[in-house]
Amino acid sequence: VNLTTGIVALNKDQADVTLYPNPAQHLLTIDSKNDKVKMEEVTVFNILGAVVYRHKADSGQQHRLSVAGFASGMYSVRILTDKGFVIRKFEVTR
C-alpha cells in the first residue's frame, strides 16, 4: 500500500497482465495470466490524463477494448483487480 495515496499497486510478477497487440490499430486485448488475480474494471487515460474509456472487465481474465475511435498516440490503462491496481501503457497507430 502506498502510504500517501492508500492505493495498492501490484508489481509485474503479482499481476502478470499483458496487452497485445501493442501498438494497436483496432482492437487491444488485455490478458491476465495469474488465476489468483481477477480483473474488475478497465480505465484508459490519454496523454493528458483525461479518462477516455471506462468499463467493467469482460471477465476476470480477459478484456477486449476497441481502439478504433481513439486518436493515434500513447495511452495508459489502469486495471482494477480484486488485489489492487495494475497500470500499463499502450500505443494506438493509424
Side-chain angles (χ1 to χ4, degrees):
V1 175
N2 181 322
L3 296 179
T4 56
T5 62
I7 295 173
V8 177
L10 301 178
N11 67 36
K12 184 178 179 182
D13 296 329
Q14 291 172 315
D16 199 14
V17 172
T18 57
L19 281 65
Y20 61 89
N22 193 5
Q25 291 184 349
H26 305 289
L27 186 68
L28 179 75
T29 301
I30 303 168
D31 244 342
S32 174
K33 303 292 184 197
N34 187 342
D35 292 338
K36 296 177 184 174
V37 177
K38 306 290 184 213
M39 292 190 293
E40 295 177 353
E41 185 181 69
V42 176
T43 306
V44 177
F45 301 89
N46 65 15
I47 197 77
L48 300 174
V51 174
V52 295
Y53 176 88
R54 177 178 283 148
H55 202 274
K56 183 177 182 248
D58 294 341
S59 72
Q61 301 309 101
Q62 188 177 78
H63 183 77
R64 293 182 183 261
L65 166 64
S66 172
V67 295
F70 289 22
S72 294
M74 293 297 298
Y75 293 84
S76 294
V77 61
R78 183 180 68 193
I79 304 145
L80 172 63
T81 72
D82 58 346
K83 306 282 192 250
F85 286 98
V86 178
I87 298 173
R88 296 284 188 270
K89 294 193 182 302
F90 69 94
E91 184 178 3
V92 174
T93 59
R94 297 283 169 234

Coordinates of all heavy atoms in Angstrom, one line a residue:
V1 N 0.9 -1.2 0.0 CA 0.0 0.0 0.0 C 0.9 1.2 0.0 O 1.8 1.3 0.8 CB -0.9 0.0 1.2 CG1 -1.7 1.3 1.3 CG2 -1.8 -1.2 1.3
N2 N 0.6 2.1 -0.9 CA 1.3 3.4 -0.9 C 0.7 4.3 0.2 O -0.4 4.6 0.2 CB 1.1 4.1 -2.3 CG 1.8 5.4 -2.4 OD1 1.9 6.2 -1.5 ND2 2.3 5.7 -3.6
L3 N 1.6 4.6 1.2 CA 1.1 5.3 2.3 C 0.5 6.7 2.0 O -0.4 7.1 2.7 CB 2.2 5.4 3.4 CG 2.6 4.0 3.9 CD1 3.7 4.2 5.0 CD2 1.5 3.3 4.6
T4 N 1.0 7.3 1.0 CA 0.5 8.7 0.7 C -0.8 8.7 0.0 O -1.6 9.6 0.1 CB 1.5 9.5 -0.1 OG1 1.8 8.8 -1.3 CG2 2.8 9.7 0.7
T5 N -1.1 7.6 -0.8 CA -2.4 7.6 -1.5 C -3.3 6.5 -1.0 O -4.5 6.6 -1.3 CB -2.1 7.3 -3.0 OG1 -1.5 6.0 -3.2 CG2 -1.2 8.4 -3.6
G6 N -2.8 5.5 -0.3 CA -3.7 4.4 0.1 C -4.0 3.4 -1.0 O -4.9 2.6 -0.9
I7 N -3.3 3.5 -2.1 CA -3.6 2.7 -3.3 C -2.7 1.5 -3.3 O -1.5 1.7 -3.1 CB -3.5 3.5 -4.6 CG1 -4.5 4.6 -4.7 CG2 -3.6 2.6 -5.8 CD1 -4.4 5.5 -5.8
V8 N -3.2 0.3 -3.6 CA -2.4 -0.9 -3.7 C -2.1 -1.1 -5.2 O -3.0 -1.3 -6.0 CB -3.1 -2.1 -3.1 CG1 -2.3 -3.4 -3.3 CG2 -3.5 -1.9 -1.7
A9 N -0.8 -1.0 -5.5 CA -0.3 -1.2 -6.9 C 0.4 -2.6 -6.9 O 1.3 -2.8 -6.1 CB 0.6 -0.1 -7.3
L10 N 0.0 -3.4 -7.8 CA 0.6 -4.7 -8.0 C 1.8 -4.6 -8.8 O 1.9 -3.9 -9.8 CB -0.4 -5.7 -8.6 CG -1.7 -5.9 -7.9 CD1 -2.6 -6.9 -8.7 CD2 -1.5 -6.5 -6.5
N11 N 2.9 -5.4 -8.5 CA 4.1 -5.4 -9.3 C 3.9 -6.3 -10.5 O 2.9 -7.0 -10.6 CB 5.3 -5.7 -8.5 CG 5.4 -7.1 -8.0 OD1 4.9 -8.0 -8.6 ND2 5.9 -7.3 -6.8
K12 N 4.9 -6.3 -11.4 CA 4.7 -7.1 -12.6 C 4.5 -8.6 -12.4 O 3.7 -9.2 -13.0 CB 6.0 -6.9 -13.5 CG 6.0 -7.6 -14.8 CD 7.2 -7.3 -15.6 CE 7.1 -8.0 -16.9 NZ 8.3 -7.8 -17.7
D13 N 5.2 -9.2 -11.4 CA 5.1 -10.6 -11.1 C 3.8 -10.9 -10.5 O 3.2 -12.0 -10.7 CB 6.2 -11.0 -10.2 CG 7.6 -10.9 -10.8 OD1 7.7 -11.0 -12.1 OD2 8.6 -10.6 -10.1
Q14 N 3.2 -10.1 -9.6 CA 1.9 -10.3 -9.0 C 0.8 -10.3 -10.0 O -0.1 -11.1 -9.9 CB 1.6 -9.3 -7.9 CG 2.5 -9.4 -6.7 CD 2.3 -8.2 -5.8 OE1 2.3 -7.1 -6.2 NE2 2.2 -8.5 -4.5
A15 N 0.8 -9.3 -10.9 CA -0.3 -9.1 -11.8 C -0.2 -10.0 -13.1 O -1.2 -10.6 -13.5 CB -0.4 -7.7 -12.2
D16 N 0.9 -10.1 -13.7 CA 1.2 -10.8 -14.9 C 0.1 -10.5 -16.0 O -0.6 -11.4 -16.5 CB 1.2 -12.3 -14.6 CG 1.9 -13.1 -15.8 OD1 2.5 -12.5 -16.6 OD2 1.8 -14.3 -15.8
V17 N -0.1 -9.2 -16.2 CA -1.0 -8.7 -17.2 C -0.3 -8.3 -18.5 O 0.7 -7.6 -18.5 CB -1.8 -7.5 -16.7 CG1 -2.7 -6.9 -17.7 CG2 -2.6 -7.9 -15.5
T18 N -0.8 -8.8 -19.6 CA -0.2 -8.4 -20.9 C -1.2 -7.7 -21.8 O -2.4 -8.0 -21.7 CB 0.3 -9.7 -21.7 OG1 -0.8 -10.6 -21.8 CG2 1.4 -10.3 -20.9
L19 N -0.8 -6.8 -22.6 CA -1.6 -6.1 -23.6 C -1.1 -6.4 -25.0 O 0.2 -6.3 -25.2 CB -1.5 -4.6 -23.4 CG -2.3 -3.9 -22.3 CD1 -1.8 -4.4 -20.9 CD2 -2.2 -2.5 -22.4
Y20 N -1.9 -6.8 -25.9 CA -1.5 -7.1 -27.2 C -2.6 -6.9 -28.2 O -3.8 -6.9 -27.8 CB -1.0 -8.5 -27.3 CG -2.0 -9.6 -27.0 CD1 -2.8 -10.2 -27.9 CD2 -2.1 -10.1 -25.7 CE1 -3.7 -11.1 -27.6 CE2 -3.1 -11.0 -25.3 CZ -3.9 -11.6 -26.3 OH -4.8 -12.5 -26.0
P21 N -2.3 -6.6 -29.5 CA -1.0 -6.2 -30.0 C -0.7 -4.7 -29.5 O -1.6 -4.0 -29.2 CB -1.2 -6.2 -31.5 CG -2.7 -5.9 -31.7 CD -3.4 -6.5 -30.5
N22 N 0.5 -4.5 -29.3 CA 0.9 -3.1 -28.9 C 2.1 -2.7 -29.7 O 3.2 -3.3 -29.6 CB 1.3 -3.2 -27.4 CG 1.5 -1.8 -26.8 OD1 1.2 -0.8 -27.4 ND2 1.9 -1.7 -25.5
P23 N 2.0 -1.8 -30.6 CA 0.8 -0.9 -30.8 C -0.4 -1.5 -31.4 O -0.3 -2.5 -32.1 CB 1.4 0.2 -31.7 CG 2.5 -0.4 -32.4 CD 3.1 -1.5 -31.5
A24 N -1.5 -1.0 -31.1 CA -2.8 -1.5 -31.6 C -3.4 -0.5 -32.7 O -3.2 0.7 -32.6 CB -3.8 -1.6 -30.5
Q25 N -4.2 -1.1 -33.6 CA -4.9 -0.3 -34.6 C -6.4 -0.3 -34.4 O -7.1 0.7 -34.6 CB -4.5 -0.7 -36.0 CG -3.1 -0.4 -36.3 CD -2.8 -0.8 -37.8 OE1 -3.6 -1.5 -38.4 NE2 -1.6 -0.4 -38.3
H26 N -6.9 -1.5 -34.1 CA -8.4 -1.7 -34.0 C -8.9 -2.2 -32.7 O -9.9 -1.8 -32.1 CB -8.9 -2.5 -35.1 CG -8.5 -2.1 -36.5 ND1 -9.0 -0.9 -37.1 CD2 -7.6 -2.6 -37.4 CE1 -8.5 -0.8 -38.2 NE2 -7.6 -1.7 -38.5
L27 N -8.2 -3.3 -32.2 CA -8.6 -4.0 -31.0 C -7.4 -4.3 -30.1 O -6.4 -4.7 -30.6 CB -9.3 -5.3 -31.4 CG -9.9 -6.1 -30.3 CD1 -11.1 -5.4 -29.7 CD2 -10.3 -7.5 -30.8
L28 N -7.5 -4.0 -28.8 CA -6.5 -4.3 -27.8 C -7.0 -5.3 -26.9 O -8.1 -5.2 -26.4 CB -6.1 -3.0 -27.1 CG -5.0 -3.2 -26.0 CD1 -3.7 -3.3 -26.6 CD2 -5.1 -2.0 -25.0
T29 N -6.2 -6.4 -26.7 CA -6.6 -7.4 -25.7 C -5.8 -7.3 -24.5 O -4.6 -7.2 -24.5 CB -6.5 -8.8 -26.4 OG1 -7.2 -8.9 -27.5 CG2 -6.9 -9.9 -25.4
I30 N -6.5 -7.3 -23.3 CA -5.8 -7.3 -22.0 C -6.0 -8.7 -21.4 O -7.1 -9.1 -21.2 CB -6.4 -6.2 -21.1 CG1 -6.3 -4.8 -21.8 CG2 -5.7 -6.2 -19.8 CD1 -7.1 -3.8 -21.1
D31 N -4.9 -9.3 -21.1 CA -4.9 -10.7 -20.6 C -4.3 -10.8 -19.3 O -3.2 -10.3 -19.1 CB -4.2 -11.6 -21.6 CG -5.0 -12.6 -22.2 OD1 -6.1 -12.9 -21.8 OD2 -4.6 -13.2 -23.3
S32 N -4.9 -11.4 -18.3 CA -4.3 -11.7 -17.0 C -3.9 -13.2 -17.0 O -4.8 -14.1 -17.1 CB -5.3 -11.4 -15.9 OG -4.7 -11.8 -14.6
K33 N -2.7 -13.5 -16.8 CA -2.2 -14.9 -16.8 C -2.2 -15.5 -15.4 O -2.1 -16.6 -15.2 CB -0.7 -15.0 -17.3 CG -0.6 -14.4 -18.7 CD -1.3 -15.3 -19.7 CE -1.0 -14.7 -21.1 NZ -1.9 -15.2 -22.1
N34 N -2.4 -14.6 -14.4 CA -2.5 -15.1 -13.0 C -3.9 -15.4 -12.6 O -4.7 -14.5 -12.5 CB -1.9 -14.0 -12.1 CG -1.7 -14.4 -10.6 OD1 -2.3 -15.4 -10.2 ND2 -0.9 -13.7 -9.9
D35 N -4.2 -16.6 -12.3 CA -5.6 -17.1 -12.0 C -6.0 -16.5 -10.6 O -7.2 -16.5 -10.3 CB -5.7 -18.6 -12.0 CG -5.6 -19.2 -13.4 OD1 -5.8 -18.4 -14.3 OD2 -5.2 -20.4 -13.5
K36 N -5.1 -16.1 -9.8 CA -5.4 -15.6 -8.5 C -5.8 -14.1 -8.5 O -6.2 -13.6 -7.5 CB -4.2 -15.8 -7.5 CG -4.0 -17.3 -7.3 CD -2.8 -17.5 -6.4 CE -2.5 -19.0 -6.3 NZ -1.3 -19.3 -5.6
V37 N -5.6 -13.4 -9.6 CA -5.9 -12.0 -9.8 C -7.0 -11.9 -10.8 O -6.9 -12.3 -11.9 CB -4.7 -11.2 -10.2 CG1 -5.0 -9.7 -10.4 CG2 -3.6 -11.3 -9.2
K38 N -8.1 -11.3 -10.4 CA -9.3 -11.1 -11.2 C -9.5 -9.7 -11.6 O -9.6 -8.8 -10.7 CB -10.6 -11.6 -10.5 CG -10.5 -13.0 -10.0 CD -10.5 -14.0 -11.1 CE -10.5 -15.4 -10.6 NZ -9.8 -16.4 -11.4
M39 N -9.6 -9.4 -12.9 CA -9.8 -8.0 -13.4 C -11.3 -7.7 -13.1 O -12.2 -8.5 -13.3 CB -9.5 -7.9 -14.9 CG -8.1 -8.1 -15.3 SD -7.8 -7.6 -17.0 CE -8.6 -8.9 -17.9
E40 N -11.5 -6.4 -12.7 CA -12.8 -5.9 -12.4 C -13.2 -4.8 -13.3 O -14.4 -4.7 -13.7 CB -12.9 -5.6 -10.9 CG -12.8 -6.7 -10.0 CD -12.8 -6.4 -8.5 OE1 -12.8 -5.2 -8.2 OE2 -12.8 -7.3 -7.7
E41 N -12.3 -3.8 -13.5 CA -12.7 -2.6 -14.2 C -11.4 -2.1 -15.0 O -10.3 -2.2 -14.5 CB -13.1 -1.5 -13.3 CG -13.6 -0.3 -14.1 CD -14.1 0.9 -13.2 OE1 -13.2 1.4 -12.5 OE2 -15.3 1.1 -13.1
V42 N -11.7 -1.6 -16.2 CA -10.6 -1.1 -17.1 C -10.9 0.4 -17.3 O -12.0 0.7 -17.8 CB -10.6 -1.9 -18.4 CG1 -9.5 -1.3 -19.3 CG2 -10.3 -3.4 -18.1
T43 N -9.9 1.2 -17.1 CA -10.0 2.7 -17.3 C -8.8 3.1 -18.2 O -7.6 2.7 -17.9 CB -10.0 3.5 -16.0 OG1 -11.0 3.0 -15.2 CG2 -10.2 4.9 -16.3
V44 N -9.0 3.8 -19.3 CA -8.0 4.3 -20.2 C -7.9 5.8 -20.1 O -8.9 6.5 -20.1 CB -8.2 3.9 -21.6 CG1 -7.2 4.4 -22.6 CG2 -8.3 2.3 -21.7
F45 N -6.6 6.3 -20.0 CA -6.3 7.7 -19.9 C -5.5 8.1 -21.1 O -4.6 7.4 -21.5 CB -5.5 8.0 -18.6 CG -6.2 7.6 -17.4 CD1 -6.0 6.3 -16.8 CD2 -7.0 8.5 -16.7 CE1 -6.6 6.0 -15.7 CE2 -7.6 8.1 -15.5 CZ -7.4 6.9 -15.0
N46 N -5.8 9.3 -21.7 CA -4.9 9.8 -22.7 C -3.7 10.4 -22.2 O -3.5 10.4 -20.9 CB -5.7 10.8 -23.7 CG -6.1 12.0 -22.9 OD1 -5.7 12.4 -21.9 ND2 -7.1 12.8 -23.6
I47 N -2.8 11.0 -23.0 CA -1.6 11.5 -22.5 C -1.7 12.7 -21.6 O -0.8 13.0 -20.8 CB -0.7 11.9 -23.8 CG1 0.8 12.1 -23.4 CG2 -1.2 13.1 -24.5 CD1 1.5 10.8 -23.2
L48 N -2.9 13.4 -21.7 CA -3.1 14.5 -20.8 C -3.7 14.1 -19.4 O -3.9 14.9 -18.5 CB -4.1 15.5 -21.5 CG -3.6 16.1 -22.8 CD1 -4.6 17.0 -23.4 CD2 -2.3 16.9 -22.5
G49 N -4.0 12.8 -19.3 CA -4.6 12.3 -18.1 C -6.1 12.3 -18.0 O -6.7 11.9 -17.0
A50 N -6.8 12.6 -19.1 CA -8.2 12.6 -19.2 C -8.7 11.1 -19.4 O -8.1 10.4 -20.2 CB -8.7 13.5 -20.3
V51 N -9.8 10.8 -18.8 CA -10.4 9.5 -18.9 C -11.1 9.4 -20.3 O -11.9 10.2 -20.6 CB -11.4 9.1 -17.8 CG1 -12.1 7.8 -18.1 CG2 -10.7 9.1 -16.5
V52 N -10.7 8.5 -21.1 CA -11.3 8.3 -22.5 C -12.1 7.0 -22.6 O -12.8 6.9 -23.6 CB -10.2 8.4 -23.6 CG1 -9.6 9.8 -23.6 CG2 -9.2 7.3 -23.4
Y53 N -12.0 6.2 -21.6 CA -12.7 4.9 -21.6 C -12.8 4.3 -20.2 O -11.8 4.3 -19.5 CB -12.0 3.9 -22.5 CG -12.6 2.5 -22.6 CD1 -13.6 2.2 -23.5 CD2 -12.2 1.5 -21.7 CE1 -14.2 0.9 -23.5 CE2 -12.7 0.2 -21.8 CZ -13.7 0.0 -22.7 OH -14.3 -1.3 -22.7
R54 N -13.9 3.9 -19.8 CA -14.1 3.2 -18.5 C -15.2 2.1 -18.7 O -16.3 2.4 -19.2 CB -14.5 4.1 -17.4 CG -14.7 3.4 -16.0 CD -15.0 4.3 -14.9 NE -13.8 5.0 -14.5 CZ -13.7 6.2 -14.0 NH1 -14.8 6.9 -13.9 NH2 -12.5 6.7 -13.6
H55 N -14.9 0.9 -18.3 CA -15.8 -0.2 -18.5 C -15.5 -1.3 -17.5 O -14.4 -1.6 -17.2 CB -15.8 -0.7 -19.9 CG -17.0 -1.4 -20.3 ND1 -17.2 -2.7 -20.1 CD2 -18.1 -1.0 -21.0 CE1 -18.4 -3.1 -20.6 NE2 -19.0 -2.0 -21.1
K56 N -16.6 -2.0 -17.1 CA -16.4 -3.3 -16.3 C -15.7 -4.3 -17.2 O -15.9 -4.4 -18.4 CB -17.7 -3.8 -15.9 CG -17.7 -5.0 -15.1 CD -19.1 -5.4 -14.7 CE -19.0 -6.6 -13.7 NZ -19.5 -7.8 -14.3
A57 N -14.7 -5.0 -16.6 CA -14.0 -6.0 -17.4 C -14.9 -7.1 -18.0 O -15.9 -7.5 -17.3 CB -12.9 -6.7 -16.5
D58 N -14.6 -7.6 -19.2 CA -15.4 -8.6 -19.8 C -15.4 -9.9 -19.0 O -16.5 -10.5 -18.9 CB -14.8 -9.0 -21.2 CG -14.9 -7.8 -22.2 OD1 -15.8 -6.9 -22.0 OD2 -14.2 -7.8 -23.2
S59 N -14.3 -10.2 -18.4 CA -14.2 -11.4 -17.5 C -13.0 -11.1 -16.5 O -12.4 -10.1 -16.6 CB -13.9 -12.7 -18.3 OG -12.6 -12.7 -18.8
G60 N -12.8 -12.0 -15.6 CA -11.8 -11.9 -14.6 C -10.4 -12.0 -15.2 O -9.4 -11.6 -14.7
Q61 N -10.3 -12.7 -16.4 CA -9.0 -13.0 -17.0 C -8.7 -12.2 -18.3 O -7.6 -12.1 -18.8 CB -8.9 -14.5 -17.3 CG -9.0 -15.3 -16.1 CD -8.1 -14.9 -14.9 OE1 -8.5 -14.3 -14.0 NE2 -6.9 -15.2 -15.0
Q62 N -9.8 -11.6 -19.0 CA -9.5 -11.0 -20.3 C -10.5 -9.9 -20.5 O -11.7 -9.9 -20.1 CB -9.6 -12.0 -21.4 CG -9.2 -11.5 -22.8 CD -9.2 -12.5 -23.8 OE1 -10.3 -12.9 -24.3 NE2 -8.1 -13.1 -24.2
H63 N -10.0 -8.9 -21.2 CA -10.9 -7.8 -21.7 C -10.5 -7.3 -23.1 O -9.3 -7.2 -23.3 CB -10.8 -6.6 -20.7 CG -11.7 -5.4 -21.0 ND1 -13.0 -5.5 -20.8 CD2 -11.5 -4.3 -21.7 CE1 -13.6 -4.3 -21.2 NE2 -12.7 -3.6 -21.7
R64 N -11.4 -7.2 -23.9 CA -11.2 -6.7 -25.3 C -11.6 -5.2 -25.4 O -12.8 -4.9 -25.1 CB -11.8 -7.6 -26.3 CG -11.2 -8.9 -26.4 CD -11.9 -9.8 -27.4 NE -11.3 -11.1 -27.4 CZ -10.4 -11.6 -28.2 NH1 -9.9 -10.8 -29.1 NH2 -10.0 -12.8 -28.1
L65 N -10.8 -4.4 -25.9 CA -11.0 -3.0 -26.0 C -10.9 -2.5 -27.4 O -9.8 -2.6 -28.0 CB -10.0 -2.2 -25.1 CG -9.9 -0.7 -25.2 CD1 -11.1 0.0 -24.8 CD2 -8.7 -0.3 -24.3
S66 N -12.0 -1.9 -28.0 CA -11.9 -1.4 -29.3 C -11.2 0.0 -29.2 O -11.7 0.9 -28.5 CB -13.3 -1.2 -29.9 OG -13.2 -0.5 -31.1
V67 N -10.1 0.2 -30.0 CA -9.5 1.5 -30.0 C -9.7 2.2 -31.4 O -9.0 3.1 -31.7 CB -7.9 1.3 -29.7 CG1 -7.7 0.8 -28.3 CG2 -7.3 0.4 -30.8
A68 N -10.7 1.7 -32.1 CA -10.9 2.3 -33.4 C -11.3 3.8 -33.4 O -10.9 4.5 -34.3 CB -12.1 1.5 -34.1
G69 N -11.9 4.2 -32.3 CA -12.3 5.6 -32.2 C -11.2 6.5 -31.5 O -11.4 7.7 -31.3
F70 N -10.1 5.9 -31.1 CA -9.0 6.6 -30.4 C -8.1 7.3 -31.4 O -7.8 6.8 -32.4 CB -8.2 5.7 -29.5 CG -8.9 5.1 -28.3 CD1 -10.2 5.0 -28.2 CD2 -8.1 4.6 -27.2 CE1 -10.8 4.5 -27.1 CE2 -8.7 4.1 -26.1 CZ -10.1 4.0 -26.0
A71 N -7.6 8.5 -31.0 CA -6.6 9.1 -31.8 C -5.3 8.4 -31.7 O -5.0 7.7 -30.7 CB -6.5 10.6 -31.4
S72 N -4.4 8.5 -32.7 CA -3.1 7.9 -32.6 C -2.3 8.6 -31.4 O -2.5 9.8 -31.1 CB -2.3 8.2 -33.9 OG -2.9 7.5 -34.9
G73 N -1.6 7.7 -30.7 CA -0.8 8.3 -29.6 C -0.6 7.2 -28.5 O -1.1 6.1 -28.6
M74 N -0.1 7.7 -27.4 CA 0.2 6.9 -26.2 C -1.0 7.0 -25.2 O -1.5 8.1 -25.0 CB 1.5 7.3 -25.5 CG 2.7 7.0 -26.3 SD 3.0 5.3 -26.7 CE 3.2 4.6 -25.0
Y75 N -1.3 5.9 -24.6 CA -2.4 5.8 -23.6 C -1.9 5.0 -22.4 O -1.0 4.2 -22.5 CB -3.6 5.2 -24.1 CG -4.3 6.0 -25.2 CD1 -3.8 5.9 -26.5 CD2 -5.3 6.9 -24.9 CE1 -4.4 6.7 -27.5 CE2 -5.9 7.6 -25.9 CZ -5.5 7.5 -27.2 OH -6.1 8.3 -28.2
S76 N -2.5 5.3 -21.2 CA -2.3 4.5 -20.0 C -3.6 3.7 -19.7 O -4.6 4.3 -19.8 CB -1.9 5.3 -18.8 OG -0.6 5.9 -19.0
V77 N -3.4 2.5 -19.3 CA -4.6 1.7 -18.9 C -4.4 1.4 -17.4 O -3.4 0.9 -17.0 CB -4.9 0.5 -19.8 CG1 -3.7 -0.5 -19.8 CG2 -6.2 -0.2 -19.4
R78 N -5.4 1.6 -16.6 CA -5.4 1.2 -15.2 C -6.5 0.1 -15.1 O -7.7 0.3 -15.3 CB -5.8 2.4 -14.3 CG -5.7 2.1 -12.9 CD -6.1 3.3 -12.0 NE -7.5 3.5 -12.2 CZ -8.1 4.7 -11.8 NH1 -7.4 5.6 -11.2 NH2 -9.4 4.8 -12.0
I79 N -6.0 -1.0 -14.6 CA -6.8 -2.2 -14.5 C -7.1 -2.4 -13.0 O -6.1 -2.6 -12.2 CB -6.2 -3.4 -15.1 CG1 -5.9 -3.2 -16.6 CG2 -7.1 -4.6 -14.9 CD1 -4.6 -3.8 -17.1
L80 N -8.3 -2.3 -12.6 CA -8.7 -2.6 -11.2 C -8.9 -4.1 -11.0 O -9.7 -4.6 -11.8 CB -10.0 -1.8 -10.8 CG -10.5 -2.2 -9.4 CD1 -9.6 -1.8 -8.3 CD2 -11.9 -1.5 -9.2
T81 N -8.2 -4.7 -10.1 CA -8.3 -6.1 -9.8 C -8.8 -6.3 -8.4 O -8.9 -5.3 -7.7 CB -7.0 -6.9 -10.0 OG1 -6.1 -6.5 -8.9 CG2 -6.3 -6.5 -11.3
D82 N -9.1 -7.5 -8.1 CA -9.5 -7.8 -6.7 C -8.4 -7.7 -5.7 O -8.6 -7.7 -4.5 CB -10.2 -9.2 -6.6 CG -9.3 -10.3 -7.1 OD1 -8.3 -10.0 -7.7 OD2 -9.7 -11.5 -6.8
K83 N -7.2 -7.5 -6.2 CA -6.0 -7.4 -5.3 C -5.3 -6.0 -5.4 O -4.4 -5.7 -4.6 CB -4.9 -8.4 -5.8 CG -5.4 -9.8 -5.8 CD -5.5 -10.5 -4.5 CE -5.6 -12.0 -4.6 NZ -6.9 -12.5 -4.2
G84 N -5.8 -5.1 -6.3 CA -5.2 -3.8 -6.4 C -5.2 -3.3 -7.8 O -5.9 -3.9 -8.7
F85 N -4.4 -2.3 -8.1 CA -4.4 -1.7 -9.5 C -3.1 -2.2 -10.2 O -2.1 -2.4 -9.7 CB -4.3 -0.2 -9.4 CG -5.6 0.5 -9.0 CD1 -5.8 0.8 -7.7 CD2 -6.6 0.7 -10.0 CE1 -7.0 1.4 -7.4 CE2 -7.8 1.3 -9.6 CZ -8.0 1.7 -8.3
V86 N -3.3 -2.3 -11.6 CA -2.2 -2.5 -12.5 C -2.3 -1.4 -13.5 O -3.3 -1.1 -14.0 CB -2.4 -3.9 -13.2 CG1 -1.2 -4.1 -14.2 CG2 -2.5 -5.0 -12.2
I87 N -1.1 -0.8 -13.8 CA -1.0 0.3 -14.8 C -0.1 -0.1 -15.9 O 1.1 -0.5 -15.6 CB -0.6 1.6 -14.1 CG1 -1.7 2.0 -13.1 CG2 -0.5 2.7 -15.2 CD1 -1.3 3.2 -12.3
R88 N -0.5 0.0 -17.1 CA 0.3 -0.4 -18.3 C 0.1 0.7 -19.3 O -0.9 1.5 -19.3 CB -0.1 -1.7 -18.9 CG 0.1 -2.9 -18.0 CD 1.6 -3.3 -17.9 NE 1.8 -4.5 -17.2 CZ 1.9 -4.6 -15.9 NH1 1.9 -3.6 -15.1 NH2 2.1 -5.8 -15.4
K89 N 1.1 0.8 -20.3 CA 1.0 1.8 -21.4 C 0.8 1.0 -22.7 O 1.2 -0.1 -22.8 CB 2.3 2.6 -21.4 CG 2.4 3.5 -20.2 CD 3.5 4.5 -20.5 CE 3.8 5.4 -19.3 NZ 2.6 6.2 -18.9
F90 N 0.1 1.7 -23.6 CA 0.0 1.1 -24.9 C -0.1 2.3 -25.9 O -0.4 3.4 -25.6 CB -1.3 0.2 -25.1 CG -2.6 0.9 -25.0 CD1 -3.3 1.3 -26.1 CD2 -3.2 1.1 -23.7 CE1 -4.5 1.9 -26.0 CE2 -4.5 1.7 -23.7 CZ -5.1 2.1 -24.8
E91 N 0.1 1.9 -27.2 CA 0.1 2.9 -28.3 C -1.0 2.6 -29.3 O -1.2 1.4 -29.6 CB 1.5 3.0 -28.9 CG 1.6 4.0 -30.0 CD 3.0 4.1 -30.6 OE1 3.8 3.3 -30.2 OE2 3.2 5.0 -31.4
V92 N -1.6 3.6 -29.8 CA -2.6 3.4 -30.9 C -1.9 4.0 -32.2 O -1.5 5.2 -32.1 CB -3.9 4.1 -30.6 CG1 -4.9 4.1 -31.8 CG2 -4.6 3.4 -29.4
T93 N -1.9 3.3 -33.3 CA -1.4 3.8 -34.5 C -2.4 3.7 -35.6 O -3.3 2.8 -35.5 CB -0.1 3.0 -35.0 OG1 -0.5 1.6 -35.1 CG2 1.0 3.1 -34.0
R94 N -2.3 4.5 -36.6 CA -3.2 4.5 -37.7 C -2.5 4.3 -39.0 O -1.4 4.6 -39.2 CB -4.0 5.8 -37.9 CG -4.9 6.1 -36.7 CD -6.1 5.3 -36.8 NE -6.8 5.4 -35.5 CZ -7.2 4.3 -34.7 NH1 -7.0 3.1 -35.1 NH2 -7.8 4.5 -33.6

